[in-house]
């Protein structure tokens, strides 16, 4: 199968935008020339694939969502027990905080100033929901998650753990306060909300 050079070149531009953002360049301040230079392609080539910087930034958001869903899918695939899930979620949150938090914060600020997120966010949210539902069904069938809990309750517990963990890590990074008990607290909260009742 011949690789999709169109998709590869677009991904190079997205990766360039993420690299520049991680170096502290505001998404609003990015230029097409900077993106082309960082991607190692010509400015004209960038315009062959994108009509504007705004289109690139919207594509970056979609790209990031898709990348995170791939990472989450790989982690969920390794989960055979509730403890596996607890560990994978905590490891995932620590990975995001260490490697991608500052970049995502800048992107969130940039898109917080716009009226709406790109259309792809609905598709990515649906994909994440499907991944989570498949995981929950597998762990419920294995007796690892309370079978009396609805899918919605399980999904909410998992999403709240991730969101709460990210907020706590973000606040911790901003204030400089260490949260040594956070990983175990997240594991405990998830365990209490999902474990089978005895």
């Amino acid at each position: 199968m011949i690789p999709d050079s169109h998709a590869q070149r677009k991904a190079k531009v997205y990766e360039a935008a993420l690299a520049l953002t991680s170096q502290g360049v505001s998404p609003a301040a990015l230029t097409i020339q900077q993106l082309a230079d960082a991607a190692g392609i010509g400015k004209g080539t960038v315009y062959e694939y994108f009509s504007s910087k705004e289109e690139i930034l919207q594509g970056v958001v979609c790209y990031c969502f898709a990348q995170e869903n791939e990472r989450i899918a790989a982690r969920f695939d390794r989960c055979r027990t509730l403890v596996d899930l607890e560990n994978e979620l905590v490891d995932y949150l620590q990975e995001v905080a260490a490697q991608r938090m500052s970049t995502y914060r800048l992107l969130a600020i940039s898109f917080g100033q716009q009226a709406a997120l790109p259309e792809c966010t609905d598709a990515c949210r649906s994909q994440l929901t499907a991944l989570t539902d498949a995981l929950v069904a597998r762990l419920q069938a294995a007796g690892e998650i309370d079978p009396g809990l609805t899918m919605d309750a399980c999904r909410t517990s998992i999403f709240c753990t991730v969101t709460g963990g990210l907020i706590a890590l973000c606040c911790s990074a901003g204030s400089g306060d260490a949260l040594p008990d956070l990983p175990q607290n997240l594991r405990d909260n998830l365990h209490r909300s999902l474990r089978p009742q005895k």
Side-chain angles (χ1 to χ4, degrees):
M1 183 176 193
I2 299 171
D4 182 353
S5 62
H6 181 79
Q8 288 176 336
R9 286 191 180 169
K10 287 180 96 166
K12 277 187 174 185
V13 175
Y14 299 148
E15 288 291 342
L18 290 170
L20 290 166
T21 304
S22 71
Q23 294 166 15
V25 179
S26 164
L30 284 173
T31 67
I32 297 294
Q33 188 62 60
Q34 282 177 306
L35 292 167
D37 291 345
I41 58 179
K43 185 176 178 179
T45 303
V46 174
Y47 278 115
E48 287 178 31
Y49 295 99
F50 303 98
S51 62
S52 66
K53 182 179 81 170
E54 288 68 31
E55 184 182 342
I56 293 170
L57 291 177
Q58 289 211 347
V60 168
V61 171
C62 297
Y63 181 76
C64 289
F65 273 121
Q67 293 290 317
E68 290 308 316
N69 279 354
E70 285 181 22
R71 291 179 180 107
I72 290 167
R75 287 184 174 279
F76 280 3
D77 194 48
R78 294 192 289 263
C79 295
R80 296 293 174 262
T81 67
L82 183 52
V83 171
D84 291 343
L85 174 59
E86 295 159 11
N87 291 332
E88 289 292 344
L89 286 181
V90 168
D91 288 349
Y92 172 75
L93 290 172
Q94 291 173 326
E95 174 192 303
V96 169
Q99 299 174 12
R100 299 184 293 280
M101 184 70 81
S102 61
T103 300
Y104 288 175
R105 188 180 303 127
L106 280 173
L107 288 171
I109 290 167
S110 173
F111 277 92
Q113 299 166 356
Q114 297 188 16
L117 284 169
E119 291 178 12
C120 70
T121 57
D122 288 338
C124 288
R125 190 179 305 114
S126 294
Q127 182 186 24
L128 180 58
T129 298
L131 289 169
T132 305
D133 290 356
L135 167 73
V136 168
R138 184 172 72 241
L139 293 182
Q140 279 183 322
E144 289 289 320
I145 291 179
D146 185 348
L149 293 172
T150 65
M151 189 62 71
D152 192 46
C154 295
R155 194 185 312 123
T156 299
S157 178
I158 293 168
F159 289 171
C160 285
T161 298
V162 172
T163 304
L166 284 173
I167 290 169
L169 288 168
C170 206
C171 291
S172 172
S175 68
D177 294 333
L179 299 174
D181 296 332
L182 179 64
Q184 190 57 48
N185 288 339
L186 292 172
R187 287 184 184 95
D188 291 345
N189 286 337
L190 193 65
H191 193 81
R192 278 193 296 271
S193 65
L194 296 178
R195 72 181 172 195
Q197 300 300 314
K198 295 184 179 179

